[in-house]
């Protein structure tokens, strides 16, 4: 756990909110709720404590803070190169739960952790609902170089724009640096949007340890290429705001498009991620000047080499989102017989927000089945 300047524990969200204090503040309903939940009982782990008032814990995924959230372990730190990462839950080999951390005999944790790879164009706040996976295993998140709280490897704090990764393939190499830096070992992985494409690129690289250390793969709103993703977004935007407005979304059209096709349910975590900006220089370098619906920059013409022998893979897309049926089917076919596609009703691209419980349950079931089939969870 991390200790605040006042000598007490500070919850991760509170620290993130403090770091943005000088910036325009997003709707804060999720900030005080879920993060207070994570460390509210840290000072006295054995003393029962009522749940704090919370309007949208875990980005609104649950109405009541679950009891385990009061004592879950968490850490956040800068890794080599300055990539900022957060881990919630117990890692393999540690003693799970409050009693285990007090040395009172809980068995060592055997569930393998999961590494969540978000979109490189925005910070990790919008992934907050996936922290619910920490009830059963360690869950790791990170901000991409130059995005959110990551500073080294080309952020504002160290090296400037010239130090940013210049190609998607060099950016993909960051994923395994995070895995190794956090000591995750063999793990599951979840990739969201463009982050899922970068994860697929890393898995296809035989020189990357990630290609042999990934036990199973969850994908959220991923197509086989950036062009397919953006074509689907423009097509969906045309359905929502009209074709004339789809290619150059003004503020009003953008808000309507996001509400209909990206995240259908108002969520403070998404507002926070968007308020933090769209990745700044990294977004411009990767995707050009209009990264939401156009492919430019280093992503123009790029596609990951898809590995045909993949670990078990589950692709989730929202039925109201932007990934077209043909693109989802093509991706799953390219990933081989262990891949499955599941469209989720009443959801946009952020399936993990619009259908958080279904997403967490589907991935957790896959993780457990893979671990059981592999002899109890670990390599």
């Amino acid at each position: 756990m991390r200790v605040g300047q006042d000598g007490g524990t500070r919850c991760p969200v509170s620290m993130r909110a403090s770091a943005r204090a000088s910036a325009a503040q997003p709707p804060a309903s999720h900030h005080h709720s879920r993060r207070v939940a994570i460390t509210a009982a840290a000072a006295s782990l054995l003393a029962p404590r009522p749940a704090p008032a919370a309007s949208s814990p875990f980005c609104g995924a649950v109405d009541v803070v679950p009891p385990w959230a009061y004592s879950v372990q968490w850490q956040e730190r800068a890794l080599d190169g300055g990539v900022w990462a957060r881990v919630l839950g117990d890692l393999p080999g540690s003693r799970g739960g409050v009693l285990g951390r007090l040395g009172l005999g809980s068995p060592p944790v055997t569930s393998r952790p999961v590494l969540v790879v978000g979109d490189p164009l925005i910070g990790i706040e919008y992934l907050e609902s996936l922290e619910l996976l920490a009830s059963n295993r360690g869950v790791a998140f990170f901000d991409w170089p130059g995005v959110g709280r990551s500073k080294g490897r080309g952020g504002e704090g160290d090296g400037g724009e010239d130090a940013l990764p210049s190609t998607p393939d060099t950016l993909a190499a960051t994923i395994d640096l995070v895995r190794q830096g956090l000591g995750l070992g063999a793990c599951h992985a979840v990739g969201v949007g463009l982050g899922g494409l970068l994860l697929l690129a890393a898995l296809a690289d035989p020189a990357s340890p990630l290609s042999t250390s990934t036990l199973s793969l969850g994908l959220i709103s991923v197509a086989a290429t950036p062009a397919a993703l953006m074509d689907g977004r423009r097509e969906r935007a045309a359905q929502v705001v009209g074709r004339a407005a789809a290619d150059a979304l003004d503020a009003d059209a953008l808000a309507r498009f996001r509400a209909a096709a990206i995240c259908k349910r108002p969520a403070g975590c998404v507002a926070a991620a968007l308020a933090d900006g769209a990745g700044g220089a990294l977004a411009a370098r990767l995707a050009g000047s209009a990264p939401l619906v156009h492919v430019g920059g280093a992503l123009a013409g790029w596609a990951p080499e898809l590995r045909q022998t993949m670990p078990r893979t589950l692709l989730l897309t929202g039925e109201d989102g932007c990934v077209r049926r043909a693109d989802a089917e093509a991706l799953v076919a390219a990933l081989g017989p262990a891949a499955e596609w599941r469209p989720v009703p009443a959801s946009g691209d952020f399936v993990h927000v619009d259908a958080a419980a279904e997403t967490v349950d589907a991935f957790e079931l896959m993780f457990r089945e893979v671990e059981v089939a592999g002899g109890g969870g670990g390599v």
Side-chain angles (χ1 to χ4, degrees), residues 2-376:
R2 188 166 176 173
V3 180
Q5 294 178 350
D6 58 357
T9 55
R10 295 188 64 195
C11 62
V13 177
S14 298
M15 287 188 283
R16 188 155 67 212
S18 297
R20 289 198 302 264
S22 60
Q25 294 296 311
S29 59
H30 76 298
H31 287 291
H32 186 68
S33 60
R34 201 265 310 147
R35 302 209 169 151
V36 167
I38 286 182
T39 56
S44 54
L45 292 176
L46 295 181
R49 208 170 208 180
S55 58
S56 57
F58 292 92
C59 201
V62 295
D63 295 325
V64 179
V65 177
W68 61 264
Y70 288 92
S71 59
V72 67
Q73 292 207 87
W74 61 268
Q75 58 174 301
E76 53 183 16
R77 56 193 170 95
L79 305 175
D80 289 346
V83 173
W84 180 85
R86 166 183 289 141
V87 179
L88 292 93
D90 298 297
L91 295 180
S94 64
R95 296 272 173 178
V98 176
L99 294 180
R101 291 193 284 280
L102 293 176
L104 300 180
S106 292
V109 174
T110 58
S111 298
R112 302 306 304 181
V114 55
L115 176 59
V116 180
V117 181
D119 194 303
L121 307 185
I122 58 177
I124 64 171
E125 290 94 339
Y126 80 110
L127 302 172
E128 200 172 277
S129 58
L130 293 176
E131 292 180 358
L132 286 167
L133 289 166
S135 65
N136 296 300
R137 63 188 68 248
V139 187
F141 304 82
F142 68 97
D143 273 328
W144 288 94
V147 179
R149 294 186 63 178
S150 290
K151 293 184 177 180
R153 302 186 62 84
E156 296 177 358
D158 186 9
E161 294 183 14
D162 291 341
L164 287 170
S166 58
T167 69
D169 290 320
T170 57
L171 195 61
T174 301
I175 301 172
D176 196 60
L177 294 178
V178 172
R179 183 191 67 85
Q180 294 187 55
L182 293 174
L184 299 182
C187 65
H188 307 279
V190 171
V192 183
L194 289 173
L197 276 172
L198 293 168
L199 181 56
L200 288 172
L203 288 171
D205 181 1
S208 171
L210 199 69
S211 65
T212 56
S213 64
T214 302
L215 302 175
S216 70
L217 177 62
L219 297 173
I220 297 174
S221 298
V222 178
T225 67
L229 276 177
M230 300 307 172
D231 287 348
R233 286 181 181 178
R234 285 197 304 278
E235 184 175 302
R236 186 73 176 95
Q239 295 172 355
V240 175
V241 300
R243 190 159 299 278
D247 283 338
L249 295 169
D250 60 23
D252 177 67
L254 179 60
R256 290 164 55 201
F257 169 59
R258 283 175 170 162
I262 303 299
C263 187
K264 298 175 67 68
R265 185 172 56 76
C269 67
V270 175
L274 296 175
D276 277 346
L282 180 64
R285 178 169 292 186
L286 280 179
S289 59
L292 185 64
V293 295
H294 293 283
V295 178
L299 290 177
W302 176 82
E305 294 184 11
L306 299 179
R307 183 174 131 202
Q308 294 185 345
T309 305
M310 292 288 290
R312 182 169 168 185
T313 301
L314 175 60
L315 168 65
L316 301 179
T317 63
E319 288 189 350
D320 295 328
C322 304
V323 177
R324 298 170 295 191
R325 181 182 185 89
D327 292 327
E329 291 175 341
L331 175 59
V332 168
L335 295 179
E340 174 192 355
W341 169 49
R342 191 177 303 170
V344 180
S347 294
D349 278 352
F350 287 178
V351 180
H352 59 288
V353 178
D354 287 335
E358 293 88 338
T359 300
V360 169
D361 288 347
F363 286 157
E364 180 60 31
L365 177 61
M366 177 177 67
F367 299 158
R368 290 185 181 186
E369 288 178 348
V370 167
E371 290 173 4
V372 169

